[in-house]
Amino acid sequence: VFLPIGAFTFGGGYAMIPLIRRAIVEKWQWMEEGEFIDAIAIAQSAPGPMAINMAAITGYKLAGFGGAASSVIAAALPSFVSIIIIASIFLGVQNNPMVRAAMSGMRPAIVALMAEAAFEAGKTAICDKVAVILATVAFIGLIIAHIHPIIVILLAGIAGFFIKPRKEKEERNKAKD
């Protein structure tokens, strides 16, 4: 699953999210949507490339350490080989107008892939007023205040730690009434 994703996805880990989601949530159903969102949060906050971290999480869930290792190798190998080949060629053609034009055309498509992944994740993750508030505060923290993404993720996790149990307690009390 991760070999073709690694081979045919350009733009880095965020561009891979829609393809990873389609494969492991929709096609193979190895994760539920909420579990996938959690895995993205973990992969984002862990060191290393996000797509490699997602491969490790998925592989480990399915087959332990061996599954993690094989998923990571499958996800990384195409990029590794491609980079070696491209680096050896690109230095000679980087100033070619056609190459520059192609690269300029790819950039907006990569942004669209990332936006689609964010939209799909948001449909599941932002499901109530608290989630809307947390997402808004996180967005402001990232875009306006330029807070590091790891800090935003940690603060959101802390907020969820305190908000979620209180919210569940309120829901249980309403159910008893």
Side-chain angles (χ1 to χ4, degrees):
V1 168
F2 283 97
L3 187 65
I5 289 172
F8 298 108
T9 307
F10 298 93
Y14 294 104
M16 290 180 176
I17 291 174
L19 298 175
I20 294 170
R21 185 186 159 281
R22 284 186 194 115
I24 67 176
V25 174
E26 293 177 9
K27 183 176 180 183
W28 296 103
Q29 299 177 349
W30 291 333
M31 288 186 193
E32 298 290 326
E33 188 72 38
E35 187 179 14
F36 180 75
I37 300 299
D38 293 343
I40 289 174
I42 293 166
Q44 171 66 34
S45 58
M50 209 260 315
I52 300 297
N53 293 343
M54 284 296 294
I57 291 167
T58 305
Y60 188 81
K61 178 182 188 229
L62 296 174
F65 182 78
S70 63
S71 293
V72 166
I73 291 168
L77 188 61
S79 296
F80 178 75
V81 171
S82 297
I83 289 298
I84 297 298
I85 294 168
I86 290 169
S88 65
I89 296 169
F90 187 70
L91 293 175
V93 297
Q94 67 185 358
N95 293 324
N96 180 304
M98 291 175 59
V99 171
R100 294 179 74 77
M103 297 303 243
S104 294
M106 286 183 194
R107 288 183 195 123
I110 298 306
V111 171
L113 283 170
M114 293 187 312
E116 191 263 345
F119 179 75
E120 290 298 323
K123 288 192 308 190
T124 300
I126 303 172
C127 56
D128 58 22
K129 290 178 187 177
V130 173
V132 169
I133 292 167
L134 285 174
T136 303
V137 170
F139 183 79
I140 290 168
L142 289 166
I143 302 300
I144 296 172
H146 303 289
I147 299 172
H148 194 281
I150 292 175
I151 302 298
V152 171
I153 291 169
L154 289 173
L155 291 173
I158 291 167
F161 178 78
F162 288 109
I163 294 168
K164 182 87 171 169
R166 193 169 84 207
K167 185 178 173 186
E168 289 174 351
K169 184 178 178 182
E170 289 172 3
E171 289 173 359
R172 282 193 304 267
N173 288 339
K174 284 181 184 178
K176 288 179 184 178
D177 295 338

